[in-house]
Amino acid sequence: KIDPAHCGGCAYACALDHATPSCVAGACGVKRCEAGYGDCNGTPGDGCEVDLLSDPAHCGTCATTCTGTCAAGQCQ
């Protein structure tokens, strides 16, 4: 199945945090993240788990780490 509302079975809907889900070969995945969020660990089960606007370990992008704080996606 490829329908995120019925992925892998009729009663199974993909529901991912801060993400638009996809369904490929019966498995849920992240089609795209909501603005300001990232799927930094690449694990589709937890959706787009990182707030890129405030997380100093992933500030603005998944690959940017701040030594201080992160505000509005910028290291401070």
Side-chain angles (χ1 to χ4, degrees):
K1 300 232 178 214
I2 60 171
D3 181 356
H6 308 283
C7 189
C10 292
Y12 186 75
C14 299
L16 305 174
D17 290 340
H18 308 289
T20 299
S22 68
C23 179
V24 178
C28 294
V30 174
K31 183 174 184 178
R32 71 178 159 270
C33 294
E34 291 176 7
Y37 288 88
D39 180 19
C40 295
N41 66 5
T43 303
D46 60 4
C48 299
E49 76 286 351
V50 175
D51 182 344
L52 298 173
L53 300 178
S54 64
D55 186 342
H58 307 283
C59 189
T61 71
C62 289
T64 303
T65 302
C66 300
T67 55
T69 61
C70 177
Q74 299 292 317
C75 292
Q76 304 296 308

